[in-house]
Amino acid sequence: TTGKLQKDSAAAKRQLKNAQDLTVVGAESLYFAILELEQTKATLQRNLDAVNRSMEEMELRYRLGQISALTLEQVKNGRAALRSSLSTLEMNLRRCTLQMQSMVGASLNGSLVLGPLPELSQGLIDTMDYEQDLAEARDHSYDLFAARKKLDEASDTFDDANEASARNTYNYRTAR
């Protein structure tokens, strides 16, 4: 029937729109992950710089007999661990950057530079209405739409099975 085709077409459009929205949400999440990785990288680099500076002092103190070989080795191991963590983080940052470039259709060269997060004004915060925003989110939720569609289809199947045969048949029990 024409009504069912129109409903199916509208559902397919909504499903495609949901896929598009999920792609945007994925890109936003990736954006935040990249910013966090960049901040962590800066922190690790500062820590490594500090360890490198203290390493010279520790080697001098070892030569003067003020610290043991074990203490010096522990500092060296800490520096190696920091270098390893920084290397792993840089690899993950590059992977995320390439993934973001792919999502936005840019060339995959790893040179993407993100801008800062926009400031959230107090005026915007004051205009937020939790109840209204929640109602709007429910209206636009594809998951709720899909669940309702599935429930309606199951109800139709149940009604068809109920009309088509007696209540003791396998089709009726399956539909129920």
Side-chain angles (χ1 to χ4, degrees), residues 86-105:
L86 188 57
S87 176
T88 300
L89 186 135
E90 286 171 340
M91 181 180 64
N92 288 334
L93 182 58
R94 178 158 175 77
R95 181 186 50 78
C96 288
T97 300
L98 289 170
Q99 187 177 0
M100 178 64 87
Q101 285 179 308
S102 174
M103 290 181 90
V104 300

Side-chain angles (χ1 to χ4, degrees), residues 36-52 78-92:
E36 186 175 329
L37 286 170
E38 287 175 345
Q39 290 174 348
T40 303
K41 178 183 174 186
T43 300
L44 283 176
Q45 188 59 57
R46 282 192 302 275
N47 291 345
L48 182 60
D49 292 344
V51 167
N52 285 337
R79 181 173 65 177
L82 267 174
R83 282 182 177 162
S84 176
S85 295
L86 188 57
S87 176
T88 300
L89 186 135
E90 286 171 340
M91 181 180 64
N92 288 334

